[in-house]
Amino acid sequence: GVVQVDRPSKWFQNILDFCRQGSLVGSFTYDDLEEIEEEARYYCLTRLVEHIEELKAGCATGQDGRCGEIGGILAECNDVIRDITYLQHSVKSRLEEANSTISSLSQASPEAKQLLHESCANLLQVTSLTLNEVIS
């Protein structure tokens, strides 16, 4: 007999590939995933629906709107940038504390204090430049 499926064929190959391989192959926009999920629900493919929900939940959308592997990489990059920003603030805070300590030294000459302040400023500048190079 013949079975006729009266559905759009746009995502049918992707659905067949999932049934064969157990995962979606390729890069999809969030809207693509929504459309594939709708088809998966129509065909009662629970595993595919769950897979798509996981992809959507972990989807960090880039400028091109892509999800999946690219989204994961973008999320990791954002985490690294957040960590570097935290490090920059932490280094700046610690150097401000050092400058405060230097200013309160009673036995150091003004020239020695100035040299220590300049050293802290240089360290902050080098650290910031290094961290900014990592970001770019």
Side-chain angles (χ1 to χ4, degrees):
V2 175
V3 176
Q4 181 173 342
V5 179
D6 187 21
R7 296 294 290 176
S9 62
K10 181 177 180 181
W11 301 112
F12 194 74
Q13 186 62 50
N14 299 92
I15 292 169
L16 286 177
D17 290 342
F18 177 84
C19 291
R20 291 181 187 120
Q21 301 168 350
S23 66
L24 287 174
V25 178
S27 182
F28 305 94
T29 66
Y30 192 87
D31 290 339
D32 292 343
L33 292 174
E34 289 278 316
E35 289 177 19
I36 298 169
E37 182 179 16
E38 181 181 331
E39 292 300 302
R41 289 185 188 285
Y42 175 82
Y43 292 113
C44 299
L45 298 171
T46 308
R47 282 189 11 238
L48 178 54
V49 171
E50 291 169 355
H51 181 69
I52 292 170
E53 287 173 349
E54 288 174 16
L55 288 176
K56 289 183 350 184
C59 182
T61 304
Q63 289 181 334
D64 64 354
R66 296 285 173 190
C67 299
E69 185 176 334
I70 293 172
I73 292 169
L74 289 173
E76 283 184 43
C77 289
N78 287 334
D79 289 345
V80 169
I81 290 170
R82 186 191 65 243
D83 292 346
I84 288 172
T85 302
Y86 171 78
L87 284 172
Q88 285 176 315
H89 291 296
S90 179
V91 166
K92 184 177 180 184
S93 174
R94 296 293 297 271
L95 289 173
E96 287 172 354
E97 289 174 19
N99 276 323
S100 176
T101 302
I102 291 166
S103 296
S104 67
L105 293 174
S106 57
Q107 297 174 345
S109 69
E111 293 82 17
K113 288 181 182 180
Q114 182 62 31
L115 182 61
L116 290 170
H117 284 297
E118 288 172 6
S119 295
C120 285
N122 289 337
L123 181 58
L124 177 60
Q125 183 178 14
V126 168
T127 303
S128 292
L129 288 174
T130 303
L131 292 174
N132 285 331
E133 285 176 18
V134 170
I135 291 173
S136 35

